[in-house]
Amino acid sequence: MLNRLSALVIALLVIFSAAGGPALAVTDEEIGKAIKQMQDYLYGEQDKATGSWDKLHGQGNDREITGPTALVVTALIYSGESYQRPELSKAIAYIRANEPKGTYTTGLRCHVWSHLPDSFKPLLDADVTRLVMAANRDTTIHYELKKEKSWDHSTMQYALLGMWEGAKRQVRPSEWSWQEVSDHWIKTQQDDGGWGYNDKKEESRGSMVAAGLTALSVAQQEVYRRTPTANAAITKSIDRGLEWLNKNFVADKSPGGGQHIYYLYGMERVALALGYKYYNNKDWYESGASVILRKLKGGKVGDGPDTAFALMFLSRGRVPVWITKLQIDGTNWNNHPNDIYFLNQFLSDYREGELNWQVLGLDRPVAELRSTPILFLSSEQRVELSDEHKAKLKAYLDAGGLLLANPDGASQAFTSSMIKLGEEMYPNLKWRTLSEDHPLFKGHDSMGPGNAGQVRTLSNGARDLIVMPLRDFGYSWQSETRQEGVPWDFAVNLFVYATDRGVLENRLVPRVETREQKKAGDEMVLGRARYEGNWLIEPGVAKAWGTRVFNRAGLDLIPTDDGIIRPGEKPAQPEAKVQDDVKKDGKKDNKKGDKKSDKKDDKKKDDEKTEPPPVLDLAEIGKSDVKLIHLTGVEALTLSDAQAAAIKQYAQRGGTILVEQVGGKGGFAESIKKQLRDVLQAGDNVALPPDHPLISGAGLTGGYDVSQVDYRRYSVLNVTFKTRRPRLAAFYVNNRPAVLISEEDLSLGALDVRYWGINGYSPESALQLLTNIALYANGGSLAATE
């Protein structure tokens, strides 16, 4: 049989097979416990009489009054503690009652005021002013708040961090020159791309490189926010600093010397400003958190203020990452270097909860890309992706992700290339203009009449895959021109739409279930029925479904091909055809190599399974020996006589069909039900009883009890039925449920797609129901005894 699997689909399957990535060195649960231990330790160290933590520094220097206390208060607020807690209220009163004398102290106090209500803003203004008045002409600042000839980059860093906190709250003194800040750090950058403790030629230090990159990033934010492209001099200097980090970053010490935990917190500041997740091929947060947890003893990390720095690192870096900015080498992907930074800040304030963002390339595993619900791609150039990167992007979208594409400068070249790319990846789908009843138009903040035409989408009928403004929304976000309401209203709606109104996990909580490394106990072909129309909705569900079934019960699901040959591609020549080796019972012919007894290594097994069985035409399934067929759609479908007859024949021969209305809205399931009543000569489809194996899991090895399920928040709030029972129904043929009907979404649940407006099951309940369906369909002896 001719194998119609395209080169792109082959690449997709190879990508998916390796999508899980390595196990994390530390878990979010462990981080949560460590944070609690540090909080308890710090509260225990507080001077109960004054509310101070100044003794943590240990120097007793007059310049340090209120500094260590400000550091601890900031760390505790970062970690989720309320400033109204009595211990913190007392500490804030102590800080307020004492005037600062040191630069570190003043910069740290700015962090406290910036995280408190607006009534504290005059205090932020006063401390920022102190920093400005202490600065020399070239913005160098001494350890004490007075003008001196000597300076160091560490002191400057904390002055600049305090100024940055002020800028976030619109405290921007006219006397302060961020241009001179950037000039200083560019001038003092060393030949190797790093920075030392001062302007002397010495070994670059990791903590000072973090200081330099943060300073340049903030200067770029403040001076060049309203320019259409990044400043060349700052970009070059930042790139040189990043090159140094990509050669020297380690988490277990500060490269080049200096205080270790202080350096790690500096790296967190760099990540907040620039968004990069990896330095020297290491995840800065995961590796840093792992080191901190190893150092943690009795709630304490090191001496002096190290515990507070460690708590800030763990807490601020832990928050949810909601969007990934795509780095496309060879493309001007970062014309607006602060578009997502300012948008992230805006949404954090809007939802009153911190968010994070990150930068990644398409060389990362699909599971890692899928850790955020949105990928952001922006340029003024045509985007030309390699076949491998096209496959990776499609794999991300098929796994439940959404691509936000922004044309810098309203570039027609970029827009046309994205339209072409979408059509190439999804030749059966069409681009459309956003409608005024779409959640992206009015899901939370209305974009206003007549503005829907500013956005185009590529949708599969159940959800949007690619969303593209036709003008440069990214520039509005970077320049913070919030009076231009449409880009900001759209951003709020997008965030609400793609996150189930803000449901996000912390950074290290996996979004994608990883396939366990073990041998399969059995295998079964999972059919996908093709018909004329929108039949191929959410092809990625087979991966998520198969992973859960395999992990739970050892059953290996083999998905059928989609059969689509994409523009510019040729059908691959048939090689090792899986379908030729599949017997009527769904198992491989022992004469051609019993899979269970095959002793080849796991990698070769994975390679052998990259070619799925050919696509199944709905009109031809009557004689198919595939045990389970997934029939999906959104809009109503009129079955041909041949399709209706094939469904009847397939059911009578013992096959199981799952009819699913993907997204839970539309007329697909209802139309199929009406036609099957006559075709199967049956009454109405009936709800499966609680004691049926499909619901109770009884008799299904690895089955779940799904007599009580969770529905999506949208379903609970907006759909008329109020129940926790699954609404899975069936047409019985030969005394068994042969055709299962789900009017509620299962596929998007299994993919953990959190789009607002989907009517269906929660991710876990969807996977449990699908697991039972697969196990039941594969249990022929159980079905025959009913």
Side-chain angles (χ1 to χ4, degrees):
M1 181 180 295
L2 180 63
N3 174 26
R4 302 188 65 203
L5 186 62
S6 68
L8 179 55
V9 176
I10 291 176
L12 276 173
L13 290 167
V14 171
I15 287 168
F16 267 133
S17 70
L24 295 176
V26 63
T27 67
D28 183 71
E29 182 180 6
E30 291 170 331
I31 289 172
K33 291 178 180 177
I35 287 173
K36 181 63 169 63
Q37 292 174 30
M38 292 181 194
Q39 290 171 335
D40 291 344
Y41 166 76
L42 290 173
Y43 281 124
E45 291 296 306
Q46 186 179 24
D47 185 324
K48 302 302 187 290
T50 64
S52 166
W53 277 279
D54 285 0
K55 67 178 182 180
L56 277 183
H57 196 279
Q59 292 185 7
N61 193 312
D62 195 41
R63 294 176 303 193
E64 308 304 329
I65 291 176
T66 76
T69 302
L71 175 64
V72 174
V73 170
T74 302
L76 290 169
I77 290 176
Y78 274 8
S79 69
E81 296 292 275
S82 170
Y83 78 97
Q84 295 175 318
R85 178 166 171 159
E87 295 94 329
L88 294 186
S89 293
K90 194 167 188 176
I92 290 168
Y94 168 79
I95 299 171
R96 192 170 189 167
N98 290 275
E99 185 171 308
K101 297 182 180 180
T103 301
Y104 282 100
T105 291
T106 310
L108 288 166
R109 287 161 58 102
C110 291
H111 286 71
V112 175
W113 310 137
S114 71
H115 285 82
L116 300 180
D118 285 346
S119 59
F120 290 85
K121 195 170 181 179
L123 299 172
L124 175 61
D125 199 337
D127 277 345
V128 168
T129 299
R130 288 187 176 99
L131 293 172
V132 171
M133 298 304 294
N136 292 308
R137 178 60 182 163
D138 61 358
T139 71
T140 54
I141 302 178
H142 190 259
Y143 196 82
E144 294 187 27
L145 285 177
K146 58 183 180 180
K147 296 179 184 292
E148 296 283 347
K149 292 183 179 180
S150 62
W151 55 268
D152 63 76
H153 279 145
S154 180
T155 308
M156 286 183 65
Q157 174 181 208
Y158 267 81
L160 296 177
L161 289 177
M163 298 294 296
W164 190 18
E165 291 301 308
K168 292 175 189 177
R169 293 295 176 264
Q170 284 68 55
V171 177
R172 295 182 172 108
S174 58
E175 300 88 352
W176 184 256
S177 173
W178 284 103
Q179 179 66 62
E180 290 174 2
V181 170
S182 66
D183 290 346
H184 169 88
W185 289 87
I186 291 173
K187 181 179 68 175
T188 58
Q189 191 169 23
Q190 304 201 108
D191 293 341
D192 63 358
W195 283 270
Y197 192 69
N198 48 40
D199 60 346
K200 297 177 182 178
K201 294 294 182 181
E202 61 176 11
E203 184 179 5
S204 295
R205 296 189 188 185
S207 56
M208 297 302 97
V209 174
L213 287 171
T214 303
L216 289 171
S217 299
V218 179
Q220 184 170 243
Q221 291 170 8
E222 295 301 307
V223 180
Y224 298 103
R225 68 176 61 203
R226 298 195 177 180
T227 58
T229 57
N231 176 267
I234 291 180
T235 298
K236 180 179 179 181
S237 187
I238 288 176
D239 287 345
R240 292 181 62 211
L242 289 173
E243 184 177 353
W244 189 95
L245 280 181
N246 284 325
K247 290 179 180 178
N248 297 285
F249 172 78
V250 289
D252 56 358
K253 64 179 180 179
S254 175
Q259 294 173 304
H260 176 214
I261 307 301
Y262 169 80
Y263 148 75
L264 284 182
Y265 180 63
M267 290 305 305
E268 189 277 324
R269 297 289 89 187
V270 175
L272 177 63
L274 293 176
Y276 287 92
K277 182 176 180 178
Y278 289 96
Y279 301 105
N280 195 16
N281 294 316
K282 298 176 179 65
D283 180 330
W284 64 267
Y285 181 73
E286 182 188 344
S287 54
S290 179
V291 169
I292 287 173
L293 264 61
R294 289 201 302 269
K295 285 178 169 284
L296 182 64
K297 304 294 181 185
K300 181 180 177 182
V301 178
D303 296 321
D306 279 356
T307 301
F309 279 122
L311 181 57
M312 289 197 292
F313 176 93
L314 290 184
S315 301
R316 186 57 184 81
R318 184 193 190 196
V319 302
V321 184
W322 71 282
I323 191 168
T324 297
K325 190 170 187 177
L326 280 178
Q327 178 178 357
I328 307 296
D329 292 337
T331 300
N332 295 334
W333 62 275
N334 204 27
N335 288 321
H336 309 325
N338 297 298
D339 44 13
I340 300 303
Y341 167 79
F342 280 120
L343 178 59
N344 184 75
Q345 181 180 317
F346 168 75
L347 290 172
S348 294
D349 292 342
Y350 198 93
R351 73 189 289 261
E352 297 182 355
E354 294 285 355
L355 294 167
N356 258 325
W357 64 289
Q358 65 187 12
V359 173
L360 288 175
L362 284 172
D363 56 325
R364 304 307 306 176
V366 174
E368 185 173 2
L369 294 170
R370 187 64 183 89
S371 66
T372 63
I374 302 172
L375 294 183
F376 177 74
L377 176 58
S378 181
S379 183
E380 91 290 1
Q381 300 173 307
R382 293 186 61 84
V383 175
E384 302 289 349
L385 299 180
S386 66
D387 287 342
E388 180 183 359
H389 282 176
K390 288 178 188 176
K392 184 69 69 68
L393 179 58
K394 185 177 188 301
Y396 167 82
L397 298 174
D398 287 349
L402 180 148
L403 175 66
L404 172 60
N406 182 77
D408 292 351
S411 165
Q412 289 296 315
F414 176 87
T415 299
S416 62
S417 70
M418 292 308 301
I419 290 173
K420 179 182 177 182
L421 177 62
E423 291 173 344
E424 184 175 355
M425 292 189 295
Y426 298 97
N428 57 324
L429 303 181
K430 301 296 182 184
W431 286 89
R432 64 185 183 185
T433 300
L434 190 68
S435 64
E436 293 195 358
D437 62 352
H438 195 291
L440 287 173
F441 180 81
K442 62 174 186 179
H444 195 275
D445 294 348
S446 175
M447 290 171 59
N451 288 316
Q454 295 191 36
V455 179
R456 297 189 72 183
T457 69
L458 186 68
S459 171
N460 65 11
R463 67 177 177 103
D464 296 298
L465 302 167
I466 306 176
V467 176
M468 180 169 61
L470 297 182
R471 68 183 181 92
D472 191 351
F473 283 9
Y475 177 75
S476 295
W477 299 332
Q478 160 144 319
S479 59
E480 282 201 300
T481 50
R482 297 187 187 180
Q483 67 273 19
E484 297 178 12
V486 171
W488 299 93
D489 294 336
F490 168 80
V492 172
N493 291 342
L494 177 68
F495 178 79
V496 167
Y497 173 64
T499 64
D500 194 19
R501 294 186 174 269
V503 177
L504 291 164
E505 280 86 17
N506 291 329
R507 178 189 291 268
L508 294 186
V509 177
R511 283 292 303 276
V512 177
E513 185 172 356
T514 302
R515 183 180 169 99
E516 296 175 1
Q517 296 298 313
K518 63 182 181 182
K519 292 183 178 180
D522 199 357
E523 65 183 26
M524 180 179 74
V525 173
L526 173 62
R528 190 68 174 264
R530 178 175 62 184
Y531 56 85
E532 186 175 351
N534 190 18
W535 66 276
L536 189 61
I537 306 174
E538 304 304 341
V541 71
K543 168 69 178 178
W545 188 353
T547 298
R548 172 56 65 91
V549 172
F550 180 80
N551 291 346
R552 178 75 176 182
L555 176 62
D556 201 358
L557 296 186
I558 303 173
T560 50
D561 178 16
D562 64 19
I564 295 176
I565 304 300
R566 289 166 176 79
E569 297 174 349
K570 297 180 180 180
Q573 294 301 312
E575 295 177 359
K577 298 187 284 295
V578 174
Q579 186 69 10
D580 289 348
D581 294 344
V582 177
K583 297 176 67 179
K584 290 185 178 181
D585 63 358
K587 299 179 181 177
K588 296 187 85 173
D589 189 340
N590 287 335
K591 293 180 181 179
K592 294 188 177 183
D594 187 349
K595 186 176 182 65
K596 294 181 181 179
S597 62
D598 192 350
K599 296 183 179 179
K600 296 179 181 179
D601 60 82
D602 290 340
K603 183 180 184 302
K604 193 164 185 178
K605 286 184 180 180
D606 286 340
D607 291 343
E608 289 173 351
K609 292 166 60 178
T610 59
E611 296 190 53
V615 66
L616 296 170
D617 284 312
L618 182 57
E620 300 174 359
I621 67 171
K623 295 182 180 179
S624 174
D625 294 316
V626 172
K627 294 180 180 180
L628 176 61
I629 292 177
H630 195 193
L631 178 60
T632 64
V634 176
E635 302 302 329
L637 174 68
T638 299
L639 297 172
S640 68
D641 290 343
Q643 289 170 337
I647 290 174
K648 180 177 181 179
Q649 183 182 9
Y650 177 78
Q652 288 176 334
R653 295 182 65 242
T656 301
I657 301 178
L658 170 60
V659 178
E660 180 196 350
Q661 189 159 292
V662 181
K665 291 190 289 187
F668 182 77
E670 185 62 30
S671 68
I672 298 295
K673 285 196 303 181
K674 288 180 179 179
Q675 294 169 84
L676 290 186
R677 291 188 189 111
D678 295 330
V679 171
L680 300 176
Q681 297 179 342
D684 288 338
N685 62 308
V686 297
L688 292 167
D691 61 350
H692 192 280
L694 278 163
I695 304 302
S696 69
L700 303 177
T701 303
Y704 292 96
D705 180 357
V706 290
S707 56
Q708 297 285 302
V709 295
D710 293 318
Y711 288 92
R712 289 175 176 266
R713 292 199 300 161
Y714 175 85
S715 300
V716 173
L717 295 173
N718 295 279
V719 183
T720 55
F721 67 89
K722 303 295 180 184
T723 181
R724 287 203 62 201
R725 293 182 179 179
R727 284 167 45 86
L728 194 65
F731 284 105
Y732 278 70
V733 176
N734 297 331
N735 295 321
R736 71 176 186 88
V739 181
L740 306 175
I741 307 289
S742 182
E743 296 185 57
E744 286 72 46
D745 173 82
L746 289 163
S747 292
L748 296 175
L751 289 168
D752 196 14
V753 173
R754 300 180 185 178
Y755 287 15
W756 187 256
I758 295 170
N759 174 31
Y761 299 95
S762 70
E764 183 59 28
S765 290
L767 284 168
Q768 291 184 6
L769 281 163
L770 288 170
T771 297
N772 282 7
I773 290 169
L775 296 177
Y776 182 82
N778 194 50
S781 59
L782 177 61
T785 62
E786 296 184 358

